[in-house]
Amino acid sequence: MHRRTVLQAGAALGLVALSPQLFAAGKLKPGGKAALIVVDVQNCFLEGGTLAVKGGNEVIPVINALAPSFENIVVTQDWHTAGHASFASTYSGKKPFETTKLNYGTQVLWPDHCVQGTEDAALGKELKVPTAQLIIRKGFHKEMDSYSAFEEADHKTATGLAGYLKARGIKTVFVTGLATDFCVAWTAMDARKAGFDAYVIEDATRGIDLNGSLAAAWKQMASKGVKRIQSSDIG
Ligand code: VGL
Ligand code: ZN
């Protein structure tokens, strides 16, 4: 088949949602206007951590292998105060994974995790992204959570990441890390809101999956135009 025929066949199959670059070449080449965002690959979310995500360690070799394909890399850290508003231990009579109402909406209550300056909050030792240019910390306001690397849970307070990426001419972000259904999903959706193209590299993420939150997050991400790909799509 000629290339044009292939493209037409692709369009007929509804593949127009994929970029022509991806469809035609089979691989996405990130280039200088794209950034890899490595979300919260910290001891707290890894094996033995205070909020360990099942299979969380498995994202590390995938991310390490992706890193050389990116000119721009941003790493994030969940970075809570002691007695943080997202900790169940902050409230009497509340247990981890219950919810409470805070002035910005419903907050899931977590075990104490990723407290600033602790070993639990440090980046995973096996993570190898030496070319990363920015480490952005979030969730450091005691009264407010921030799953997203772009804006805090009030949907008003900016972290500064959108400004940083825009000032550097970045147009597209590829989101990886932990957890798919919380910090990865919120980061990817807020990237769309801030005007970036956003991909989530599924095999470079793992979810917490609290009451169906993983499937719900994929659905919500799709509705916001976040594209779901695999690490093998990047070359
Ligand atoms: C996260 C729950 C609480 C995450 C952070 O990184 O996905 N999840 N804090
Ligand atoms: Zn947190």
Side-chain angles (χ1 to χ4, degrees):
M1 250 195 293
H2 292 295
R3 186 169 174 276
R4 198 161 51 129
T5 321
V6 174
L7 288 173
Q8 282 164 349
L13 289 166
L15 293 173
V16 281
L18 301 173
S19 73
Q21 191 187 14
L22 174 61
F23 183 69
K27 294 275 186 189
L28 274 168
K29 304 221 178 302
K33 291 186 171 154
L36 178 69
I37 304 183
V38 179
V39 175
D40 299 2
V41 181
Q42 295 167 264
N43 293 329
C44 31
F45 299 114
L46 298 171
E47 222 172 80
T50 47
L51 181 45
V53 178
K54 195 162 174 258
N57 293 60
E58 294 165 17
V59 307
I60 295 178
V62 182
I63 294 169
N64 290 350
L66 281 167
S69 300
F70 285 84
E71 287 177 35
N72 305 296
I73 304 181
V74 172
V75 169
T76 79
Q77 280 178 297
D78 210 33
W79 200 250
H80 298 311
T81 61
H84 191 257
S86 74
F87 295 173
S89 66
T90 299
Y91 310 88
S92 60
K94 286 288 189 186
K95 289 203 247 358
F97 310 107
E98 293 179 355
T99 60
T100 194
K101 288 259 185 271
L102 296 180
N103 54 21
Y104 53 79
T106 301
Q107 172 71 50
V108 179
L109 297 175
W110 304 103
D112 291 23
H113 65 280
C114 300
V115 172
Q116 299 171 356
T118 64
E119 187 55 27
D120 191 56
L123 294 171
K125 280 215 164 47
E126 305 297 314
L127 182 69
K128 296 279 185 288
V129 286
T131 60
Q133 297 137 352
L134 175 73
I135 297 179
I136 189 149
R137 291 168 166 171
K138 60 185 179 59
F140 52 74
H141 287 125
K142 192 172 185 181
E143 308 306 330
M144 183 162 49
D145 207 359
S146 187
Y147 295 144
S148 165
F150 288 93
E151 67 183 32
E152 302 191 33
D154 62 354
H155 297 296
K156 286 191 194 80
T157 309
T159 64
L161 181 58
Y164 168 86
L165 293 173
K166 284 179 186 173
R168 295 203 47 226
I170 308 273
K171 308 275 186 217
T172 305
V173 298
F174 292 81
V175 189
T176 60
L178 304 169
T180 325
D181 39 351
F182 290 91
C183 294
V184 167
W186 287 49
T187 296
M189 291 192 286
D190 282 349
R192 295 288 302 136
K193 192 169 156 190
F196 299 96
D197 282 333
Y199 294 83
V200 169
I201 307 174
E202 183 173 15
D203 57 324
T205 71
R206 289 293 182 279
I208 294 174
D209 204 13
L210 194 61
N211 308 315
S213 58
L214 186 57
W218 281 118
K219 210 167 158 186
Q220 250 191 309
M221 286 192 276
S223 77
K224 308 265 191 246
V226 174
K227 289 167 227 163
R228 179 179 187 168
I229 60 167
Q230 307 302 317
S231 58
S232 58
D233 294 326
I234 292 175

